[in-house]
Amino acid sequence: MVIDCAGRPLVASQPVVMGVLNVTPDSFSDGGQFTSTARALDRGLEMAAEGAAMIDIGGESTRPGAAPVSVQQELDRVLPVIEQLLTRLDIPISIDTRHSEVMVAAISAGVGMVNDVNALRAPGALEAVSASDVAVCLMHMQANPQTMQDSPVYDDPVAEVRQFLLERVQACQSSGIRPDRLVIDPGFGFGKTLTHNLQLLAGLDDFASIGVPLMVGVSRKSMFGTLLGRAPDQRLPGSLAATTIALERGAKIIRCHDVAETVDAIKVWSAMTAQLSEIN
Ligand code: 8Y4
């Protein structure tokens, strides 16, 4: 399986890792731009060395209660990191944004994928991607980042998230985006209770019939805080357990912070799978 990321193909015949690179003052606390750019660059290079197949760069926190960021601020944060990583790495770079202006600028700078927690529903977003040759990850979110965790409600989370993603895939295809540029993601934690997240994890195999590769992001998320009572930096074991379940149910791209550890988990799963099909 190959995802066409504007000339940097993402080969996902085996599941792969997308490393999370936040370029925000909360993760790289300093006053000026230089230090956060330099630190993000170092971390990006480190994640690539650890085996990330792709790096997802974001400059806006979607956490409930996070300070709003202007489009200009978002661009000032992400563009220098995108430009420098593109010259130093061969793997595709992804831009994590909901804003079409940021998509347009990042696409011009050379990213290979738009990762949109809003699934291209913002004004101009679908147009920005369809006018280019980048790939797009369409993620499900109920409500918006400010309100999504207030009281999420579903009748059947798997069916409803699946239907939403199917409709967004169809909207992309109607705009001329071919299926080999599409990725879907159920959006763990985005307008979901712990129970909803567990129901989605259990039902991930239902998303395969949409016919585009499945991305999953559970890394360090609050579902493990709720379930295990652990702080974000103590959630790796829980994250790896959920990742293994996701792999077993068909996930092809794992979005995570802990790249080296997640690559190991994928190697274990892949070795078992190869044994099953007697390739080895
Ligand atoms: C620590 C720090 C713990 C941040 C959790 C977090 C997804 C995503 C996010 C996802 C896709 C996050 C941008 C939430 N999650 N994109 N983005 N899928 N495609 N929280 O699940 O990582 S941000």
Side-chain angles (χ1 to χ4, degrees), residues 62 96 115 117 137 139 185 190 217 219-221 255 257:
T62 45
D96 157 20
N115 174 32
V117 300
C137 178
M139 198 199 79
D185 185 327
F190 283 82
S219 182
R220 302 184 191 175
K221 281 189 176 169
R255 182 182 181 278
H257 304 81

Side-chain angles (χ1 to χ4, degrees), residues 6-280:
R8 292 191 187 206
L10 181 69
V11 181
S13 13
Q14 299 293 314
V16 294
V17 161
M18 168 192 263
V20 176
L21 190 57
N22 290 314
V23 196
T24 53
D26 19 309
S27 48
F28 298 99
S29 55
D30 72 295
Q33 183 72 43
F34 176 76
T35 314
S36 55
T37 301
R39 291 186 63 170
L41 256 176
D42 285 352
R43 180 61 190 143
L45 297 175
E46 184 176 53
M47 289 195 293
E50 290 176 353
M54 167 170 254
I55 291 171
D56 188 36
I57 302 179
E60 183 205 32
S61 176
T62 45
R63 237 175 270 170
V69 176
S70 73
V71 162
Q72 191 55 53
Q73 262 178 305
E74 202 181 327
L75 286 169
D76 291 344
R77 289 175 180 180
V78 298
L79 281 179
V81 181
I82 291 170
E83 285 161 4
Q84 300 216 46
L85 282 181
L86 280 170
T87 69
R88 287 167 170 76
L89 298 173
D90 290 327
I91 58 175
I93 303 298
S94 160
I95 176 70
D96 157 20
T97 190
R98 298 181 288 151
H99 303 116
S100 57
E101 302 94 323
V102 177
M103 293 174 192
V104 168
I107 290 167
S108 297
V111 299
M113 180 181 280
V114 167
N115 174 32
D116 184 5
V117 300
N118 210 28
L120 303 184
R121 288 176 293 168
L126 190 56
E127 293 77 3
V129 171
S130 63
S132 77
D133 55 358
V134 304
V136 59
C137 178
L138 303 165
M139 198 199 79
H140 175 272
M141 168 169 56
Q142 186 175 89
N144 59 65
Q146 280 67 48
T147 62
M148 64 189 183
Q149 290 307 106
D150 290 354
S151 57
V153 178
Y154 300 83
D155 182 34
D156 180 344
V158 174
E160 288 168 42
V161 171
R162 186 186 181 283
Q163 184 59 31
F164 170 85
L165 293 173
L166 183 61
E167 285 170 15
R168 296 313 297 159
V169 164
Q170 287 164 349
C172 285
Q173 289 188 275
S174 299
S175 297
I177 305 171
R178 293 168 56 122
D180 72 339
R181 294 168 56 195
L182 296 176
V183 173
I184 52 171
D185 185 327
F188 284 95
F190 283 82
K192 283 112 184 163
T193 64
L194 171 60
T195 300
H196 298 146
N197 288 317
L198 294 171
Q199 289 171 323
L200 284 168
L201 189 60
L204 274 185
D205 44 357
D206 278 24
F207 293 96
S209 56
I210 296 179
V212 306
L214 177 67
M215 180 170 344
V216 160
V218 292
S219 182
R220 302 184 191 175
K221 281 189 176 169
S222 66
M223 59 186 286
F224 305 110
T226 308
L227 187 62
L228 308 170
R230 302 211 187 274
D233 67 345
Q234 298 297 316
R235 295 176 189 166
L236 176 59
S239 301
L240 292 178
T243 293
T244 306
I245 296 166
L247 292 169
E248 198 61 17
R249 285 160 169 65
K252 292 289 186 285
I253 305 176
I254 306 297
R255 182 182 181 278
C256 66
H257 304 81
D258 304 284
V259 171
E261 293 85 349
T262 305
V263 166
D264 276 5
I266 291 174
K267 283 183 184 169
V268 172
W269 180 87
S270 294
M272 179 276 287
T273 303
Q275 194 61 52
L276 262 187
S277 54
E278 293 168 326
I279 294 167
N280 289 342

